[in-house]
Amino acid sequence: MTTTVDKAAPLQKPELVSTDQPPLKKQRTVSDLNQVDQLKQLTTVVADTGDVNAIKKFSPQDATTNPSLIYKAAVMPEYASIVDNAVAYGKGDLSVTMDKLAVAFGTEISKIVPGYVSTEVDARLSFDTEGTINKARDLIKMYDEVGVSKDRILIKIAATWEGIQAAKQLEKEGITCNLTLLFSIAQAIACAEVGCTLISPFVGRIMDFYKKAKGVDGFAPSEDPGVVSVTAIYNYYKKYGYKTIVMGASFRNKEEILELAGCDRLTISPALLQELTNASADVQQKLDAAKAVNMDIPKIDMTESVFRWMMNEDAMATQKLAEGIRGFAKDIKKLEDIVKAKISAKFD
């Protein structure tokens, strides 16, 4: 290194500088960021879990839960007090206790994330419009009791025709909804046309169906049927100016997630969030609302008969919707068995 000395100035002993000092801090570029942080620049990242501690780790904007995730969290020792408090609140009433349990987890999550928390209606009400409406009102009332505003909560409802009609009424009442178990453009259009706040189109479960149907081990990310489905829904919404938020869900690998960079929201499991955190390759925007506006996409006029016919013609969507409802109902029953035992121990 060459040092230039000003001869007009008196010589001064140079300060010793440790070579162990870190270099001057420079502004971070995209390549310095892990893939979660890069993704957050393109998409709102949501945590798909009922595990409060996992949510704290990744600092997402929103969080989603479902009966399967609540069941997994409820059997973890660190959340035993939440279950016990719900049992005490329910005073022996199983239905009230189950609702309180979902709300209790949602309340804890709402203290961590700044945005929406999704709480799911009992899947066994998926074909009961009035039952879904009443259950949603009960959940919102419970949130209000503990000071959580309804504008922080998305009521999660299966995207059956009956569920979509329930969401139509709830949205009119100012209760925002997340329509889930969504596998087709028919479901997506029906949700948008009734003004649903958000939809959760599934990716991985669609891929599962086509892997089995085609007898293949997997697909290139851009050709993944689940990715193709969500991309088509996103482009349709942006083409026709729908305000409903598209939140891709149910991912099997991080490549599916990256292929949907630019989607309004993506809800991601803690395991895949960790994989993205550990990776630093550049994340490129894949979905672009501005480009979708100019795409040649035919408009579909959605009615109940059109909806039912389109679902009838889509074996994958019909099968996966029914399968998903059965799966959530099964996990509700498993959770109920745990809660029943605690109710019996406390009140019998």
Side-chain angles (χ1 to χ4, degrees):
M1 183 174 71
T2 303
T3 303
T4 302
V5 179
D6 183 354
K7 293 182 180 179
L11 293 175
Q12 296 186 8
K13 186 177 180 180
E15 294 182 7
L16 295 176
V17 179
S18 171
T19 57
D20 294 332
Q21 293 294 323
L24 292 174
K25 187 175 182 180
K26 64 178 181 179
Q27 188 170 358
R28 298 179 78 187
T29 62
V30 169
S31 60
D32 295 320
L33 302 176
N34 65 46
Q35 289 187 322
V36 169
D37 289 337
Q38 291 182 62
L39 195 60
K40 286 179 179 179
Q41 296 180 348
L42 302 169
T43 292
T44 298
V45 172
V46 180
D48 193 20
T49 181
D51 185 344
V52 176
N53 292 327
I55 295 170
K56 289 179 181 177
K57 180 177 180 180
F58 295 105
S59 302
Q61 173 70 20
D62 303 339
T64 56
T65 64
N66 62 44
S68 302
L69 297 175
I70 292 294
Y71 170 75
K72 289 177 183 177
V75 297
M76 298 169 71
E78 56 263 47
Y79 303 124
S81 63
I82 293 179
V83 179
D84 291 340
N85 289 339
V87 169
Y89 178 96
K91 298 178 181 178
D93 186 314
L94 179 62
S95 178
V96 172
T97 302
M98 293 291 289
D99 289 349
K100 181 61 177 177
L101 185 57
V103 169
F105 273 102
T107 300
E108 291 304 309
I109 293 169
S110 74
K111 297 173 185 177
I112 303 167
V113 301
Y116 288 122
V117 176
S118 290
T119 297
E120 189 147 353
V121 167
D122 191 325
R124 293 168 295 189
L125 297 171
S126 294
F127 302 100
D128 182 346
T129 298
E130 286 304 314
T132 296
I133 291 170
N134 291 331
K135 181 63 71 176
R137 290 169 178 161
D138 289 344
L139 292 169
I140 291 298
K141 183 178 179 181
M142 284 186 178
Y143 272 114
D144 185 63
E145 288 175 358
V146 293
V148 179
S149 173
K150 68 180 181 181
D151 62 13
R152 295 287 315 282
I153 304 302
L154 289 172
I155 295 298
K156 206 171 176 186
I157 302 168
T160 58
W161 180 259
E162 294 80 5
I164 294 167
Q165 301 317 301
K168 180 179 181 179
Q169 177 58 36
L170 292 168
E171 292 281 358
K172 289 178 180 178
E173 298 176 14
I175 297 174
T176 49
C177 298
N178 170 358
L179 274 289
T180 188
L181 293 175
L182 196 147
F183 301 95
S184 73
I185 191 71
Q187 291 170 289
I189 295 171
C191 290
E193 291 194 349
V194 302
C196 293
T197 296
L198 182 147
I199 62 168
S200 296
F202 281 31
V203 179
R205 296 193 195 189
I206 293 179
M207 182 189 71
D208 294 344
F209 178 92
Y210 286 106
K211 280 174 61 178
K212 183 177 180 180
K214 294 179 180 292
V216 298
D217 294 329
F219 301 90
S222 63
E223 299 171 357
D224 184 308
V227 169
V228 172
S229 175
V230 175
T231 299
I233 290 167
Y234 176 89
N235 288 335
Y236 188 96
Y237 274 23
K238 304 314 175 187
K239 169 73 176 179
Y240 292 106
Y242 290 114
K243 302 302 182 185
T244 299
I245 297 165
V246 180
M247 183 174 72
S250 171
F251 295 104
R252 296 291 182 259
N253 54 66
K254 73 182 185 73
E255 287 70 30
E256 289 179 324
I257 296 166
L258 297 174
E259 200 62 33
L260 291 172
C263 194
D264 298 331
R265 280 169 166 77
L266 297 173
T267 184
I268 306 170
S269 69
L272 289 175
L273 283 170
Q274 187 61 57
E275 283 191 35
L276 291 163
T277 299
N278 294 340
S280 59
D282 285 352
V283 175
Q284 302 295 325
Q285 182 171 352
K286 299 291 184 175
L287 303 189
D288 189 329
K291 292 180 180 178
V293 171
N294 298 316
M295 291 180 179
D296 183 16
I297 304 172
K299 186 82 162 60
I300 297 173
D301 295 322
M302 188 56 60
T303 63
E304 181 178 356
S305 60
V306 170
F307 175 90
R308 295 196 185 281
W309 179 252
M310 289 179 70
M311 290 295 289
N312 180 73
E313 293 296 282
D314 190 336
M316 177 278 297
T318 299
Q319 176 180 316
K320 286 298 177 182
L321 173 59
E323 185 181 275
I325 291 170
R326 288 194 299 269
F328 285 161
K330 181 179 178 181
D331 282 333
I332 290 170
K333 291 176 182 177
K334 286 161 63 177
L335 184 54
E336 282 181 342
D337 289 341
I338 294 171
V339 172
K340 284 177 184 176
K342 287 182 174 288
I343 288 173
S344 296
K346 186 173 182 65
F347 294 104
D348 289 355

